[in-house]
Structures are given as structure tokens and as C-alpha cells.
Amino acid sequence: MTETENLGETLTAVTAVTAANPAPDPRPGFVQAVGLAGRTVAAVRADQLDGPTPCTGYTVRQLSNHLIAILRRVAVIGRGGDALSVPAIADDVADGDRVREWAAACDVEAVWSDPTILGRPLRLPFGTLPGAAAAVVYTTEFTVHTWDLATATGQRPSWDPAVLAVSLAAMRRAVPAEPRGGQVPFAAVVDVEADAPDIDRLVAWYGRKP
């Protein structure tokens, strides 16, 4: 979510989640989330770029460029760089160049291939987290924004249950239901049925209406 830049201490709770609940390496799910985001960006039509999205204040164009910016940031973070050296929206990307720019930035799997990165402190926009926790944060950000973009453009992605499980396992500890606003700048949690699909449960927790 664009909002991750403002979460500060709240999202560092992801660290506690990953430490208290050791899980399989989160990087495969992270890479899967990146891949699905890229395919969703690639499927956006030119006539959809000025349309609104569920991510408040972002058009389809802006959200597509934000996803490219996140991808660039994740590569910088994996190399030990400063995420804030990369703008939050890739305004340098022309409308016809998104697929090419995504491919150019998409060396995430290679950058994150060293297993020691999981325990290494990495500098995110809102603070420092170990690599395992950072992978969970960005798995969620890519997933929720993929839903935003897909919803805005009439796409129906095939959600990977394992990817959703990574984010669902951490979401309540990472982003509490109350209070919202300030350090947790999401809309109120949206109620969904207990047996709602995992993607609906996830985006509803972040204030989206599935």
C-alpha cells in the first residue's frame, strides 16, 4: 500500500510475527506476488489509464507507476541501499513503456537470492526490518495493489493461496484494526463473511471493499 511509507513502528510488528511464527522462506511467495503484479500491469489498456482505483487518490496510471517504483525500491533495498532514494511513483515511465520498465527493474529474485538476506537488517521507507519481515511487507503491498489495479481494470488474477497465506498470517499483528489514521493510515476494516475468499479477507483488512 502506498501507506507503508507512513506506518513507522506499527508495521515493525511484522518482525515479531515472523520471529514468533517461523515459516518457510517467504521469498518464493514474494517473487510470486511480484510476478502477478507485473502481469496485471502489463494487461492494463491505454484507455483505462485515467480511471480511478480503490487506492484512494490514485489513477490506474499512477498506481501502475507506483508498482514499478516499489519494484525498483525492493531491488535497492535488497542491495542494502536506501529505499527513499527511489521516488514513490515512477513518473519517468511513459505510457507505452511499462512492460519494458518492469522487465528492466525485475531482478528482484536475483537480488534477494542470498539466503542470508532473511536475517539481514534492511532499510525500508518507514524503518529497518530483517529481510524475512521485509519480504512479508512487500508481498502484502504487491498483493493488495495488484487487487486495486485488477479491480480498476476488470482483471481477474489467479491468486496463489500460498502467497495470500503469508500476508494473512501477519496482517492483524502488523496492522491492528484500531485505531486507524495517523500511524495506521488505512480506512476502517471492512466486514466480510467468515468464509470469504482469502483475497477478500486481506484487502478488507486494509480498508478495501471487495
Side-chain angles (χ1 to χ4, degrees):
M1 296 99 322
T2 307
E3 302 93 334
T4 51
E5 293 168 16
N6 303 312
L7 292 182
E9 294 181 359
T10 302
L11 269 187
T12 62
V14 178
T15 305
V17 174
T18 54
N21 302 282
D25 188 338
R27 290 175 300 168
F30 172 48
V31 171
Q32 289 275 12
V34 169
L36 184 59
R39 293 191 293 276
T40 305
V41 168
V44 172
R45 302 192 312 268
D47 65 326
Q48 296 174 319
L49 291 170
D50 292 320
T53 72
C55 186
T56 305
Y58 273 61
T59 64
V60 169
R61 175 184 287 105
Q62 291 168 327
L63 188 57
S64 298
N65 287 358
H66 178 58
L67 279 164
I68 292 172
I70 299 169
L71 189 63
R72 291 173 175 176
R73 280 186 169 183
V74 167
V76 168
I77 290 167
R79 296 187 184 99
D82 182 1
L84 292 179
S85 67
V86 180
I89 298 180
D91 286 330
D92 60 307
V93 178
D95 285 347
D97 290 344
R98 286 188 183 84
V99 173
R100 184 177 65 189
E101 290 295 332
W102 189 276
C106 202
D107 58 352
V108 168
E109 188 169 5
V111 171
W112 285 64
S113 62
D114 183 351
T116 65
I117 198 171
L118 297 178
R120 191 184 310 156
L122 302 177
R123 289 180 292 170
L124 279 66
F126 54 84
T128 300
L129 293 179
V136 172
V137 169
Y138 282 110
T139 296
T140 303
E141 181 159 13
F142 276 113
T143 299
V144 174
H145 276 330
T146 296
W147 180 90
D148 288 332
L149 194 61
T151 299
T153 58
Q155 298 184 53
R156 294 183 176 276
S158 180
W159 304 103
D160 187 319
V163 173
L164 297 178
V166 169
S167 296
L168 287 168
M171 70 181 188
R172 284 178 169 79
R173 286 281 300 277
V175 182
E178 294 181 356
R180 294 288 171 109
Q183 288 293 325
V184 188
F186 298 98
V189 173
V190 174
D191 290 334
V192 294
E193 297 294 332
D195 60 351
D198 284 350
I199 186 61
D200 289 1
R201 292 170 54 214
L202 180 65
V203 300
W205 192 260
Y206 288 94
R208 271 63 164 174
K209 295 180 180 180

